Amino acid sequence: MEGTPPYRVLLVLEERVEADEADRVELSRLIRAGRALALAQQANGLTVLCLIPVADPQSLSEGALPAQAQRSLLDQLVGGDYSEAMELKTTVRVCAQAELSQELNDVIIENQINLALLEARWFDHPDEETGEARTHLDEVLRRPLCDIAIIGPGVEIDQSKKLLLAARGGPFAELALRLAMGVAAQNQGEVTMLHVVRSDADADGFDDSGDDTAYSDLLRGMTFEQRKRVRRRQVVGPNAQEAIVQEAQQGYNLVFLGASMNIGAAHAEALLQNPFGPVAKAVLDTVGPKRKRKAEVAESELPKAGPGVIIVRSGAPRDFYFARLQRRKQQSQARMASEDYISRLVDKWFAENTFDSEEFNDIERLIASKKSQGLTISLGLPALNEEATIGNVISAVKTELFDKYPLLDEIVVIDSESTDRTVAIAKELGVPVHVHPDILKGSGTRRGKGEALWKSLYVLRGDIICWIDTDIKNPNPNFIYGLVGPLLKEPSLQYVKGYYRRPITVGDKVYETGGGRVTELTIRPLFNLFFPELSGIIQPLAGEYAGRRSCLEQLPFFTGYGVETGHLIDVLERFGLSALGQVNLRERQHRNQELGALSQMAFAITQVVIKRLEEREKLRLTEDVNRTMKLIALGDQGLRLDVRHIEDHERPSMLEIPEYRRMYRKRLIKTE
């Protein structure tokens, strides 16, 4: 309904290490249940979250590979149906084990979650010392920032028509009824509201009219059609727990009840040990299917007897919710002052934002995601005298990702005045070519790859722009889908870098390692020294990367070797570390440069770093840095020094170019 605030649901799953078929069965059931509950509440979106805890004293960066495995697993289980009005996405977060509750609260706040669904497995871990049951998410359940529902083993929502609501107007009864009614309406079922009368009461003198107010409060606001789905039932039993357990066996599919039901002051200490409360915990342990261990479960063997159990707990008022957000910001600012803040920040970023290209090898799913988001994707191929390799690069990408599967909406070569057959080969393969000096002639022209990339923003039309080098000897479609996949999956990402193994050729021998010498000897040391937030970038100088146009058009471009370095620093400054991602593209074979050329590259890149440091007042030099470099040359006539001027010029952001603004005026007006 127009004007209605969005309603967002979060399904929180525990990590499955080396997931087997039993794990897949269990996760599939939980995802189905989460999707059905979200639809029953007419939610705008369901986010499936996997929390990966890292035990002290391990670095959070060790969660990188587990995060990749869990992302792949969840994406496979969720499937690729993007036709529904309700958004469905998956995400993974890595944190210290002791900070699980804080991490989940952060996710709830950041995504403005209304309802969090937690699998009961979270509360099934015995304390290593005492052996007593404990929870990893105790703080979340005791002081919830949003409504909480605990999904017990065996819960199946889709076909559940007969629902039992064990609530007597307590603080969580309204939430339990709302969830139960949503499921009943979706499945054309009914809800039985159970009232337990103690067996030691005077049955002849019992009058339940005193409870009418509680039930009336629950029913208030329901339509006539909704009321027709509700019936009341009164039973006699020695206590609420036994009565609910006995009633639940009478053919119900689902049991809803509130946490800490019938808890008084005498149970305060027990509540600290068991946030469910004794009644809810006892019902969960007694009623319905029990979770079996690995290797015991096959889908056909899942226990069917007994209903599933869902325990609910209402969240804090919204004013408290946003007060907590402000408090969290203050705490974050305080943490930033600590010595290890940057190190932990980078470790966490590394674990969560380091992807593998094979996570995104389902091309049809990527295309569906692209269409559902209304996005277009362009591939720009910068080239200068690459006749030996450009044909294979174009063919490998175009055949698979343009002709067979329309992941790419356009492929364009940006040529820097090649003197060989580079341009002819591209045209023969049906790819348009733009010579970069002919683009934006009013802005003049400069030499360098960065200049070609900057001008390509003017001719490429995509919302996502991907660039790969054209000297690659082993081109593979994964270079493309690996780069654009994270951008299609994670809306917060703005810029994704590739990384890979880089064999090096010396003479006629190929060595498995040794490529990326400027990366390891120059830029990574400089980043660690002056921009430590970027110290987790594996290959900052990689020529394969992708970004959103809305990000790239805000960035200045250095015209030569410093373009990638400038991008990373500027994206960090404008959008924050979380906007950056990196993806493993496996292996890149290309033309290795001589040591002298690499020395010039390092010289230019160092100038870029110094320029950015001076602009941000992190470094002050008394004189301008020298722009000339003495190169040692050994020739037939002996040893000498050659002098070369090496300087990267800086182009302004494309948004500052009038021709660009005129061309994209409609889109710019829409976004401003």
Side-chain angles (χ1 to χ4, degrees), residues 110-126:
E110 291 167 10
N111 295 277
Q112 299 186 36
I113 298 299
N114 301 87
L115 173 65
L117 311 173
L118 308 179
E119 56 172 318
R121 175 186 173 119
W122 280 113
F123 308 95
D124 194 25
H125 299 278

Side-chain angles (χ1 to χ4, degrees), residues 77-348:
L77 296 175
V78 165
D81 184 3
Y82 294 87
S83 61
E84 298 180 27
M86 184 185 74
E87 180 187 16
L88 181 61
K89 64 179 183 178
T90 63
T91 190
V92 171
R93 297 286 284 262
V94 178
C95 63
Q97 187 158 351
E99 298 174 355
L100 272 168
S101 289
Q102 178 181 319
E103 187 71 26
L104 179 51
N105 277 334
D106 286 350
V107 174
I108 289 171
I109 291 171
E110 291 167 10
N111 295 277
Q112 299 186 36
I113 298 299
N114 301 87
L115 173 65
L117 311 173
L118 308 179
E119 56 172 318
R121 175 186 173 119
W122 280 113
F123 308 95
D124 194 25
H125 299 278
D127 187 276
E128 293 179 359
E129 295 183 1
T130 66
E132 296 178 359
R134 65 180 174 82
T135 170
H136 286 154
L137 299 176
D138 50 355
E139 181 66 21
V140 171
L141 196 55
R142 288 174 192 153
R143 300 177 181 87
L145 298 184
C146 68
D147 293 340
I148 302 289
I150 312 298
I151 302 178
V155 167
E156 294 284 0
I157 305 293
D158 290 339
Q159 302 301 319
S160 295
K161 294 180 178 292
K162 192 175 180 182
L163 314 176
L164 179 66
L165 175 62
R168 288 188 56 192
F172 313 134
E174 184 177 347
L175 172 61
L177 178 61
R178 176 161 57 82
L179 293 178
M181 287 299 298
V183 173
Q186 182 171 275
N187 296 340
Q188 299 299 305
E190 69 172 13
V191 177
T192 296
M193 299 177 65
L194 181 67
H195 175 214
V196 179
V197 179
R198 289 182 56 121
S199 57
D200 57 359
D202 184 355
D204 292 336
F206 177 77
D207 181 0
D208 69 349
S209 60
D211 294 301
D212 281 345
T213 300
Y215 283 105
S216 296
D217 288 344
L218 288 176
L219 297 175
R220 185 179 293 119
M222 285 189 183
T223 66
F224 176 73
E225 289 298 320
Q226 289 173 324
R227 286 172 180 262
K228 289 197 306 183
R229 297 192 183 281
V230 180
R231 72 183 185 96
R232 291 178 58 181
R233 175 165 168 74
Q234 178 177 294
V235 300
V236 178
N239 55 58
Q241 173 186 325
E242 290 188 19
I244 295 170
V245 169
Q246 183 175 358
E247 179 65 20
Q249 307 301 322
Q250 307 306 308
Y252 292 97
N253 306 122
L254 280 177
V255 177
F256 289 83
L257 71 163
S260 63
M261 186 176 176
N262 289 341
I263 285 185
H267 297 92
E269 185 175 347
L271 179 58
L272 291 176
Q273 299 299 321
N274 169 23
F276 292 161
V279 174
K281 183 66 165 63
V283 172
L284 180 65
D285 290 343
T286 307
V287 173
K290 303 299 180 290
R291 183 170 64 85
K292 290 188 177 182
R293 301 299 175 188
K294 282 188 177 184
E296 291 186 72
V297 182
E299 188 163 16
S300 60
E301 298 173 353
L302 281 175
K304 304 298 182 183
V309 177
I310 296 179
I311 302 172
V312 306
R313 188 174 179 86
S314 300
R318 300 304 281 181
D319 55 349
F320 175 82
Y321 180 97
F322 290 109
R324 182 63 178 263
L325 174 60
Q326 186 62 32
R327 179 182 167 194
R328 173 177 165 272
K329 289 180 178 178
Q330 293 171 352
Q331 291 173 337
S332 295
Q333 291 173 352
R335 288 197 300 269
M336 288 176 66
S338 64
E339 292 183 3
D340 67 342
Y341 173 77
I342 297 281
S343 178
R344 287 176 57 83
L345 177 72
V346 172
D347 288 349
K348 182 174 173 59

Side-chain angles (χ1 to χ4, degrees), residues 27 32 43 106 113 153 217 225 253 255-256 269 298 421 475 498 529 545 594 599 617 659:
L27 287 171
R32 288 196 306 271
D106 286 350
I113 298 299
D217 288 344
E225 289 298 320
N253 306 122
V255 177
F256 289 83
E269 185 175 347
R421 295 194 69 252
L529 188 61
Y545 43 97
E594 297 293 334
S599 178
E617 298 185 350
E659 296 94 326

